[in-house]
């Protein structure tokens, strides 16, 4: 399975990543990617950028080194109400919004409350993808989260880096992948790259998706066209205007 868009990529701005946007785009081009999403952490992450950083992403060109650039964020879920660390003013101006649980931004709760946090975040109109829902630090009712993603027409991520940095991720990620196939929801297979050399590195996550039997048509980021259509349906300004012009 050849995946041409990486929708979860970090840069120096995240505070714990080590490459620039330029370096990352150049590496993505060398690997034959069509599209990457710059999704630095929201401001609640230690070392993360100020909210103004996300407002100023508008200065980025739509393409660098022949790779389409999505202006995004990986926002942090802060509580069981699904509160996010980026204001609506900025969220509605981004091309793509990822949301996830991180134990430096929200203390892991019981399964019921962790699940409530993800369900509420999925109901936020600006959130497009829930990242690393198989994080073993945050046990959840996986079926309920998958069902909510289906109801909201949103995607869940299989995160390649989880298998390298989050011990115990393989079993919950495989179960989420199985449920994703069962319910027919969209899945985003992403690198969560924190260094340019890791952009587009997706082999472990692809293996999990294939083992679960997830069909190619349910892989959101298999190519740029599919991502653009998804974001246009989600009402993202940039892509709605593009589709209106056709």
């Amino acid at each position: 399975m050849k995946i041409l868009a990486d929708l979860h990529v970090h840069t120096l701005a995240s505070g714990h990543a080590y490459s620039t946007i330029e370096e990352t785009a150049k590496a993505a081009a060398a690997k034959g990617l069509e599209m990457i999403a710059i999704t630095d952490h929201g401001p609640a992450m230690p070392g993360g950028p100020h909210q103004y950083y996300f407002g100023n992403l508008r200065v980025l060109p739509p393409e660098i080194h022949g790779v389409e650039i999505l202006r995004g964020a990986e926002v942090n879920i802060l509580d069981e109400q699904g509160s996010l660390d980026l204001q609506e003013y900025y969220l509605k101006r981004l091309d793509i919004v990822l949301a996830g649980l991180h134990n430096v931004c929200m203390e892991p709760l019981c399964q019921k409350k962790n699940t409530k946090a993800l369900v509420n975040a999925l109901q936020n109109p600006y959130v497009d993808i829930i990242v690393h829902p198989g994080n073993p630090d945050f046990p959840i009712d996986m079926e309920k989260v998958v069902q909510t993603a289906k109801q909201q027409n949103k995607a869940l991520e299989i995160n390649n880096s989880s298998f390298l940095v989050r011990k115990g991720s393989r079993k919950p990620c495989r179960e989420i992948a199985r449920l994703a196939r069962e319910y027919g929801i969209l899945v985003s297979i992403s690198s969560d790259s924190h260094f340019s050399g890791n952009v587009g590195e997706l082999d472990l996550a692809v293996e999990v998706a294939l083992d679960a039997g997830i069909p190619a048509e349910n892989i959101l980021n298999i190519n740029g066209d599919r991502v653009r259509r998804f974001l246009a349906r989600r009402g993202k300004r940039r892509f709605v205007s593009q589709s209106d012009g056709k």
Side-chain angles (χ1 to χ4, degrees):
M1 183 183 294
K2 179 66 173 175
I3 294 178
L4 299 177
D6 190 346
L7 302 181
H8 189 167
V9 174
H10 294 279
T11 75
L12 284 169
S14 284
H16 59 277
Y18 304 97
S19 302
T20 65
I21 293 173
E22 175 91 19
E23 291 166 341
T24 303
K26 187 174 182 179
K31 293 182 179 182
L33 296 180
E34 295 178 350
M35 172 188 285
I36 59 172
I38 302 301
T39 53
D40 285 307
H41 283 284
M45 178 65 63
H50 191 276
Q51 300 221 26
Y52 291 167
Y53 168 83
F54 299 97
N56 202 45
L57 285 173
R58 65 184 183 273
V59 306
L60 290 180
E63 189 175 289
I64 302 174
H65 295 296
V67 177
E68 185 169 1
I69 305 296
L70 302 188
R71 291 157 250 186
E74 182 188 7
V75 295
N76 300 290
I77 300 170
L78 303 177
D79 51 41
E80 63 181 291
Q81 285 70 46
S83 305
L84 307 178
D85 63 341
L86 203 56
Q87 296 173 12
E88 180 182 0
Y89 175 87
Y90 299 104
L91 291 171
K92 66 185 181 182
R93 286 164 171 77
L94 294 172
D95 298 329
I96 190 166
V97 177
L98 319 182
L101 295 166
H102 300 90
N103 55 21
V104 294
C105 299
M106 174 181 149
E107 183 178 353
L109 303 171
C110 65
Q111 183 190 59
K112 183 177 179 180
K113 291 181 178 180
N114 292 335
T115 301
K116 184 178 177 183
L118 288 188
V119 165
N120 285 333
L122 278 164
Q123 292 171 344
N124 185 303
Y126 300 110
V127 170
D128 304 301
I129 300 171
I130 293 293
V131 295
H132 42 70
N135 184 345
D137 289 345
F138 291 90
I140 59 171
D141 180 335
M142 298 178 192
E143 190 157 11
K144 186 169 185 178
V145 170
V146 170
Q147 288 174 335
T148 305
K150 185 176 182 66
Q151 292 163 3
Q152 298 294 322
N153 295 312
K154 298 184 180 182
L156 299 183
E157 180 190 69
I158 302 176
N159 184 298
N160 199 77
S161 290
S162 287
F163 305 115
L164 303 173
V165 301
R166 295 183 183 92
K167 187 176 180 181
S169 289
R170 188 165 292 275
K171 183 176 179 179
C173 288
R174 286 185 179 278
E175 179 60 13
I176 287 171
R178 185 192 69 77
L179 288 167
R181 188 258 307 151
E182 180 179 331
Y183 283 92
I185 69 164
L186 283 175
V187 169
S188 177
I189 297 177
S190 299
S191 71
D192 196 1
S193 166
H194 285 66
F195 174 67
S196 60
N198 299 127
V199 69
E201 295 296 314
L202 306 170
D203 289 354
L204 298 174
V206 167
E207 178 186 346
V208 168
L210 291 176
D211 285 350
I214 296 173
E217 57 265 29
N218 286 0
I219 305 299
L220 167 62
N221 55 315
I222 202 160
N223 57 49
D225 281 344
R226 188 171 294 175
V227 175
R228 285 188 287 272
R229 290 195 299 270
F230 170 75
L231 295 174
R233 291 195 301 272
R234 301 272 310 117
K236 303 296 176 170
R237 295 178 178 183
R238 172 176 167 185
F239 301 100
V240 169
S241 63
Q242 284 180 6
S243 60
D244 287 346
K246 291 181 179 179

